[in-house]
Amino acid sequence: MDLLSLKALNAERRQRRAAILLTELTSGTDRIIREEDAVAGELGEAVRKAFRTGISSVVAADGIGYFLTVALPKPRLVVIGAVHISQALAPLARVAGFDMEIIDPRTGFATAERFPDVPLHADWPETVLRGRSLDGYTAVAALTHDPKIDDHPLKAALDAGCFYVGALGSRKTHAARVERLRAAGATDTQIARIHAPIGIDIGAVSPQEIAVAIIAQIVQALRSRGLDAVAGRAA
Amino acid sequence: MGETSAASEPLDPLFMAEDWLANGRKVAVATVIETWGSAPRPVGSHLVIDADGNFHGSVSGGCVEGAVVTEALDVLADGKPRLLEFGVADETAWRVGLSCGGRIKVYVEMVA
């Protein structure tokens, strides 16, 4: 393994960026592939699949044997709103492998008693998100129904290329939200990326069922990331 | 390797390898590249080894690490990568095989 490859791979991992260490098994030579790098042919297909699944594997491409060491950042879920659905979402997120945190300026909602195992930020999203960067391996779910709380993080999530952006609310609520986000400078492509009404359609009624629908939609978004997500981030 | 978080950094073999190299140690990296049956560690798992035989990480549940470390010392001596295979079908399995019945292929290379 080339020392520079090792350093480059670790640097990408520390920055929460996806990377693949591509090792040619016969010669032992290797190089780093980043998500935005164009790779042609059979190898390119294997590389794109590896970035989607995160699974390391041996690949034979164009008569050459390679090993792909795939390093994807651990996916995060930032929930706006310390509400009932968020309480149900917390254990589901943990089981599904997401690091979840909650932002809600309403101190009555964001209490450790209601959320014993979740990092809580009882402050405005614009304040909390200023110090930390949203990224392509972060999902944002806005669940307060309150434009004063939800709108800013939604726009920030779209600008950061978060792999999932979802917002609770009826179609009517969402139509009004779209107008506000447009006024704030969101493009049509960005607005089309918002999942609203939130969650896959399983006829969910209770907060717990809505949480199941949301986590399923987030997993779907994570595992169908592809060229679209990369293009969205570049835009 | 799959998904990583910065929180697990001190325990991560590839971060450890970089630290060791920065301290002037020679380092080999062993990687599980293929598995069959009930292999204890998934493809992409790493074990890093220095020239004194210190190691960190795992490529099995402890069943074959000793043999991998021995091979890694040879890799560090001549700089040539090696492809190792362990499993019940292997004659060496009786000595250093996988009691779980699985089979694994491990690629060992020097970082240089």
Side-chain angles (χ1 to χ4, degrees):
Chain A
M1 188 187 295
D2 193 311
L3 175 57
L4 295 177
S5 297
L6 175 68
K7 284 184 171 174
L9 178 66
N10 282 345
E12 295 297 315
R13 295 167 68 210
R14 288 193 181 96
Q15 292 297 312
R16 280 185 54 83
R17 286 192 298 256
I20 292 175
L21 174 69
L22 179 76
T23 306
E24 208 188 300
L25 288 172
T26 42
S27 67
T29 58
D30 52 56
R31 67 184 170 101
I32 296 295
I33 301 174
R34 295 171 180 84
E35 224 166 351
E36 64 272 20
D37 294 342
V39 182
E42 282 176 16
L43 185 60
E45 273 177 43
V47 162
R48 283 186 288 279
K49 187 177 172 200
F51 274 125
R52 268 201 316 279
T53 61
I55 295 174
S56 300
S57 68
V58 169
V59 167
D62 306 310
I64 301 171
Y66 298 96
F67 182 70
L68 276 60
T69 301
V70 188
L72 299 189
K74 185 157 191 223
R76 284 196 305 220
L77 169 57
V78 175
V79 175
I80 312 301
V83 298
H84 198 168
I85 295 172
S86 317
Q87 287 178 291
L89 206 45
L92 295 178
R94 188 160 47 244
V95 167
F98 296 91
D99 284 341
M100 175 171 153
E101 53 192 299
I102 296 175
I103 305 175
D104 196 327
R106 302 168 299 179
T107 48
F109 285 79
T111 67
E113 193 179 11
R114 282 161 53 79
F115 296 92
D117 304 317
V118 185
L120 281 174
H121 308 278
D123 207 338
W124 289 90
E126 40 270 66
T127 308
V128 177
L129 294 176
R130 200 180 298 138
R132 57 187 49 232
S133 54
L134 297 171
D135 59 35
Y137 286 84
T138 303
V140 172
L143 305 179
T144 72
H145 283 116
D146 183 341
K148 291 195 301 298
I149 304 174
D150 283 351
D151 280 8
H152 178 276
L154 284 173
K155 177 70 165 53
L158 293 170
D159 288 343
C162 289
F163 75 88
Y164 176 87
V165 184
L168 192 69
S170 66
R171 281 171 213 288
K172 194 168 158 232
T173 307
H174 187 58
R177 177 189 292 133
V178 164
E179 289 317 308
R180 293 193 306 274
L181 289 173
R182 224 175 240 134
T187 65
D188 288 347
T189 317
Q190 286 185 317
I191 282 165
R193 293 200 54 234
I194 303 173
H195 294 275
I198 200 168
I200 60 168
D201 186 2
I202 53 172
V205 175
S206 68
Q208 293 78 6
E209 290 168 359
I210 295 168
V212 169
I214 293 171
I215 204 75
Q217 194 168 48
I218 291 172
V219 171
Q220 184 180 49
L222 179 70
R223 295 308 175 194
S224 58
R225 284 170 10 264
L227 298 170
D228 292 347
V230 174
R233 207 170 313 164
Chain B
M1 179 184 306
E3 284 142 3
T4 54
S5 72
S8 62
E9 179 153 340
L11 296 172
D12 182 278
L14 293 187
F15 288 135
M16 184 69 84
E18 201 180 334
D19 283 351
W20 285 2
L21 286 154
N23 290 326
R25 292 155 77 172
K26 286 173 84 174
V27 176
V29 175
T31 307
V32 177
I33 65 164
E34 283 185 275
T35 65
W36 297 264
S38 59
R41 297 283 291 134
V43 169
S45 301
H46 297 290
L47 179 73
V48 298
I49 307 101
D50 77 0
D52 294 326
N54 297 303
F55 62 92
H56 184 80
S58 65
V59 291
S60 73
C63 327
V64 302
E65 270 75 4
V68 173
V69 168
T70 306
E71 292 283 343
L73 295 178
D74 292 342
V75 169
L76 288 174
D78 66 16
K80 293 193 180 73
R82 284 163 175 72
L83 190 54
L84 315 174
E85 204 172 330
F86 300 95
V88 287
D90 195 307
E91 179 263 331
T92 59
W94 299 108
R95 297 197 302 271
V96 290
L98 297 166
S99 53
C100 50
R103 216 148 52 89
I104 62 172
K105 237 185 224 182
V106 179
Y107 185 73
V108 190
E109 59 188 321
M110 181 160 121
V111 184

